[in-house]
mmCIF file of all heavy atoms in Angstrom:
data_model
loop_
_atom_site.group_PDB
_atom_site.id
_atom_site.type_symbol
_atom_site.label_atom_id
_atom_site.label_comp_id
_atom_site.label_asym_id
_atom_site.label_seq_id
_atom_site.Cartn_x
_atom_site.Cartn_y
_atom_site.Cartn_z
ATOM 1 N N ASP A 200 -39.987 162.363 108.791
ATOM 2 C CA ASP A 200 -40.898 162.734 107.720
ATOM 3 C C ASP A 200 -40.180 162.620 106.371
ATOM 4 O O ASP A 200 -39.764 163.617 105.792
ATOM 5 C CB ASP A 200 -41.364 164.195 107.967
ATOM 6 C CG ASP A 200 -42.311 164.651 106.882
ATOM 7 O OD1 ASP A 200 -42.781 163.803 106.076
ATOM 8 O OD2 ASP A 200 -42.597 165.863 106.827
ATOM 9 N N PRO A 201 -40.076 161.371 105.893
ATOM 10 C CA PRO A 201 -39.296 161.124 104.672
ATOM 11 C C PRO A 201 -39.830 161.904 103.461
ATOM 12 O O PRO A 201 -39.069 162.147 102.528
ATOM 13 C CB PRO A 201 -39.410 159.627 104.442
ATOM 14 C CG PRO A 201 -39.951 159.058 105.699
ATOM 15 C CD PRO A 201 -40.640 160.137 106.444
ATOM 16 N N ASP A 202 -41.123 162.297 103.503
ATOM 17 C CA ASP A 202 -41.658 163.054 102.374
ATOM 18 C C ASP A 202 -41.540 164.543 102.594
ATOM 19 O O ASP A 202 -41.884 165.341 101.700
ATOM 20 C CB ASP A 202 -43.122 162.665 102.138
ATOM 21 C CG ASP A 202 -43.234 161.175 101.764
ATOM 22 O OD1 ASP A 202 -42.425 160.748 100.898
ATOM 23 O OD2 ASP A 202 -44.061 160.464 102.336
ATOM 24 N N GLY A 203 -41.059 164.955 103.765
ATOM 25 C CA GLY A 203 -40.893 166.385 104.034
ATOM 26 C C GLY A 203 -39.610 166.895 103.433
ATOM 27 O O GLY A 203 -38.891 166.163 102.733
ATOM 28 N N PRO A 204 -39.291 168.175 103.703
ATOM 29 C CA PRO A 204 -38.146 168.811 103.035
ATOM 30 C C PRO A 204 -36.812 168.108 103.310
ATOM 31 O O PRO A 204 -35.959 168.045 102.410
ATOM 32 C CB PRO A 204 -38.131 170.228 103.631
ATOM 33 C CG PRO A 204 -39.039 170.215 104.798
ATOM 34 C CD PRO A 204 -40.006 169.106 104.578
ATOM 35 N N TYR A 205 -36.613 167.567 104.512
ATOM 36 C CA TYR A 205 -35.317 166.926 104.799
ATOM 37 C C TYR A 205 -35.167 165.564 104.176
ATOM 38 O O TYR A 205 -34.081 165.059 104.020
ATOM 39 C CB TYR A 205 -35.037 166.929 106.300
ATOM 40 C CG TYR A 205 -34.760 168.320 106.812
ATOM 41 C CD1 TYR A 205 -35.762 169.065 107.464
ATOM 42 C CD2 TYR A 205 -33.526 168.931 106.584
ATOM 43 C CE1 TYR A 205 -35.506 170.356 107.893
ATOM 44 C CE2 TYR A 205 -33.282 170.227 107.032
ATOM 45 C CZ TYR A 205 -34.273 170.938 107.657
ATOM 46 O OH TYR A 205 -34.010 172.223 108.055
ATOM 47 N N GLY A 206 -36.309 164.961 103.841
ATOM 48 C CA GLY A 206 -36.236 163.639 103.184
ATOM 49 C C GLY A 206 -35.443 163.738 101.915
ATOM 50 O O GLY A 206 -34.738 162.796 101.492
ATOM 51 N N ASP A 207 -35.496 164.903 101.298
ATOM 52 C CA ASP A 207 -34.831 165.134 100.029
ATOM 53 C C ASP A 207 -33.335 165.480 100.175
ATOM 54 O O ASP A 207 -32.654 165.692 99.197
ATOM 55 C CB ASP A 207 -35.559 166.310 99.339
ATOM 56 C CG ASP A 207 -35.869 165.964 97.909
ATOM 57 O OD1 ASP A 207 -35.940 164.749 97.616
ATOM 58 O OD2 ASP A 207 -36.002 166.893 97.099
ATOM 59 N N TYR A 208 -32.897 165.574 101.421
ATOM 60 C CA TYR A 208 -31.465 165.867 101.658
ATOM 61 C C TYR A 208 -30.622 164.598 101.457
ATOM 62 O O TYR A 208 -29.413 164.693 101.329
ATOM 63 C CB TYR A 208 -31.260 166.357 103.096
ATOM 64 C CG TYR A 208 -31.422 167.846 103.296
ATOM 65 C CD1 TYR A 208 -32.455 168.548 102.677
ATOM 66 C CD2 TYR A 208 -30.536 168.571 104.105
ATOM 67 C CE1 TYR A 208 -32.585 169.921 102.882
ATOM 68 C CE2 TYR A 208 -30.684 169.919 104.319
ATOM 69 C CZ TYR A 208 -31.711 170.604 103.694
ATOM 70 O OH TYR A 208 -31.845 171.957 103.895
ATOM 71 N N TYR A 209 -31.271 163.473 101.521
ATOM 72 C CA TYR A 209 -30.553 162.183 101.480
ATOM 73 C C TYR A 209 -31.106 161.299 100.388
ATOM 74 O O TYR A 209 -32.091 161.664 99.737
ATOM 75 C CB TYR A 209 -30.659 161.492 102.854
ATOM 76 C CG TYR A 209 -30.030 162.284 103.970
ATOM 77 C CD1 TYR A 209 -30.784 163.238 104.713
ATOM 78 C CD2 TYR A 209 -28.698 162.121 104.302
ATOM 79 C CE1 TYR A 209 -30.207 163.977 105.713
ATOM 80 C CE2 TYR A 209 -28.112 162.873 105.336
ATOM 81 C CZ TYR A 209 -28.870 163.806 106.019
ATOM 82 O OH TYR A 209 -28.298 164.544 107.030
ATOM 83 N N PHE A 210 -30.515 160.135 100.232
ATOM 84 C CA PHE A 210 -31.065 159.161 99.295
ATOM 85 C C PHE A 210 -31.919 158.198 100.085
ATOM 86 O O PHE A 210 -31.451 157.178 100.597
ATOM 87 C CB PHE A 210 -29.912 158.408 98.591
ATOM 88 C CG PHE A 210 -29.117 159.308 97.721
ATOM 89 C CD1 PHE A 210 -27.967 159.940 98.211
ATOM 90 C CD2 PHE A 210 -29.459 159.511 96.382
ATOM 91 C CE1 PHE A 210 -27.229 160.807 97.378
ATOM 92 C CE2 PHE A 210 -28.720 160.371 95.574
ATOM 93 C CZ PHE A 210 -27.595 160.998 96.069
ATOM 94 N N LEU A 211 -33.145 158.567 100.250
ATOM 95 C CA LEU A 211 -34.095 157.712 100.977
ATOM 96 C C LEU A 211 -34.982 157.006 99.952
ATOM 97 O O LEU A 211 -35.702 157.680 99.227
ATOM 98 C CB LEU A 211 -34.957 158.541 101.944
ATOM 99 C CG LEU A 211 -34.199 159.157 103.126
ATOM 100 C CD1 LEU A 211 -35.165 159.916 104.004
ATOM 101 C CD2 LEU A 211 -33.474 158.097 103.942
ATOM 102 N N GLU A 212 -34.857 155.709 99.872
ATOM 103 C CA GLU A 212 -35.556 154.969 98.823
ATOM 104 C C GLU A 212 -36.548 153.978 99.435
ATOM 105 O O GLU A 212 -36.209 153.284 100.394
ATOM 106 C CB GLU A 212 -34.570 154.218 97.949
ATOM 107 C CG GLU A 212 -33.437 155.056 97.385
ATOM 108 C CD GLU A 212 -33.880 155.957 96.210
ATOM 109 O OE1 GLU A 212 -34.698 155.457 95.410
ATOM 110 O OE2 GLU A 212 -33.414 157.119 96.151
ATOM 111 N N ARG A 213 -37.719 153.971 98.840
ATOM 112 C CA ARG A 213 -38.697 152.940 99.245
ATOM 113 C C ARG A 213 -38.243 151.605 98.694
ATOM 114 O O ARG A 213 -37.360 151.560 97.872
ATOM 115 C CB ARG A 213 -40.057 153.235 98.618
ATOM 116 C CG ARG A 213 -40.763 154.415 99.134
ATOM 117 C CD ARG A 213 -41.979 154.677 98.258
ATOM 118 N NE ARG A 213 -42.296 156.080 98.213
ATOM 119 C CZ ARG A 213 -43.007 156.694 99.152
ATOM 120 N NH1 ARG A 213 -43.481 156.026 100.191
ATOM 121 N NH2 ARG A 213 -43.263 157.988 99.078
ATOM 122 N N GLY A 214 -38.904 150.559 99.130
ATOM 123 C CA GLY A 214 -38.583 149.253 98.551
ATOM 124 C C GLY A 214 -38.777 148.119 99.523
ATOM 125 O O GLY A 214 -39.266 148.342 100.656
ATOM 126 N N ASP A 215 -38.380 146.990 99.096
ATOM 127 C CA ASP A 215 -38.499 145.772 99.884
ATOM 128 C C ASP A 215 -37.361 145.745 100.917
ATOM 129 O O ASP A 215 -36.188 145.829 100.544
ATOM 130 C CB ASP A 215 -38.412 144.600 98.887
ATOM 131 C CG ASP A 215 -38.246 143.268 99.570
ATOM 132 O OD1 ASP A 215 -38.333 143.226 100.807
ATOM 133 O OD2 ASP A 215 -38.045 142.267 98.841
ATOM 134 N N PRO A 216 -37.715 145.596 102.179
ATOM 135 C CA PRO A 216 -36.668 145.622 103.222
ATOM 136 C C PRO A 216 -35.594 144.539 103.011
ATOM 137 O O PRO A 216 -34.551 144.606 103.669
ATOM 138 C CB PRO A 216 -37.433 145.385 104.525
ATOM 139 C CG PRO A 216 -38.863 145.347 104.200
ATOM 140 C CD PRO A 216 -39.070 145.442 102.721
ATOM 141 N N LYS A 217 -35.837 143.577 102.155
ATOM 142 C CA LYS A 217 -34.846 142.513 101.981
ATOM 143 C C LYS A 217 -33.924 142.811 100.789
ATOM 144 O O LYS A 217 -32.870 142.206 100.666
ATOM 145 C CB LYS A 217 -35.549 141.172 101.753
ATOM 146 C CG LYS A 217 -36.285 140.729 102.998
ATOM 147 C CD LYS A 217 -36.341 139.225 103.080
ATOM 148 C CE LYS A 217 -36.975 138.831 104.402
ATOM 149 N NZ LYS A 217 -38.263 139.511 104.647
ATOM 150 N N THR A 218 -34.321 143.730 99.902
ATOM 151 C CA THR A 218 -33.544 143.950 98.693
ATOM 152 C C THR A 218 -33.150 145.429 98.572
ATOM 153 O O THR A 218 -33.996 146.273 98.310
ATOM 154 C CB THR A 218 -34.356 143.597 97.427
ATOM 155 O OG1 THR A 218 -35.222 142.512 97.762
ATOM 156 C CG2 THR A 218 -33.489 143.250 96.247
ATOM 157 N N PRO A 219 -31.861 145.711 98.777
ATOM 158 C CA PRO A 219 -31.404 147.118 98.658
ATOM 159 C C PRO A 219 -31.675 147.646 97.239
ATOM 160 O O PRO A 219 -31.734 146.876 96.272
ATOM 161 C CB PRO A 219 -29.913 147.042 98.911
ATOM 162 C CG PRO A 219 -29.643 145.686 99.511
ATOM 163 C CD PRO A 219 -30.776 144.804 99.109
ATOM 164 N N PRO A 220 -31.816 148.958 97.114
ATOM 165 C CA PRO A 220 -32.152 149.573 95.828
ATOM 166 C C PRO A 220 -31.137 149.318 94.717
ATOM 167 O O PRO A 220 -31.510 149.343 93.539
ATOM 168 C CB PRO A 220 -32.194 151.075 96.158
ATOM 169 C CG PRO A 220 -32.489 151.110 97.606
ATOM 170 C CD PRO A 220 -31.844 149.924 98.217
ATOM 171 N N ASN A 221 -29.890 149.088 95.006
ATOM 172 C CA ASN A 221 -28.970 148.683 93.961
ATOM 173 C C ASN A 221 -27.847 147.840 94.573
ATOM 174 O O ASN A 221 -27.856 147.564 95.792
ATOM 175 C CB ASN A 221 -28.432 149.865 93.152
ATOM 176 C CG ASN A 221 -27.499 150.757 93.980
ATOM 177 O OD1 ASN A 221 -26.957 150.332 94.993
ATOM 178 N ND2 ASN A 221 -27.292 151.990 93.512
#
Side-chain angles (χ1 to χ4, degrees):
D200 180 10
D202 297 314
Y205 289 100
D207 228 23
Y208 273 42
Y209 298 89
F210 295 91
L211 292 182
E212 307 284 322
R213 291 171 210 277
D215 168 6
K217 293 210 174 52
T218 327
N221 70 19

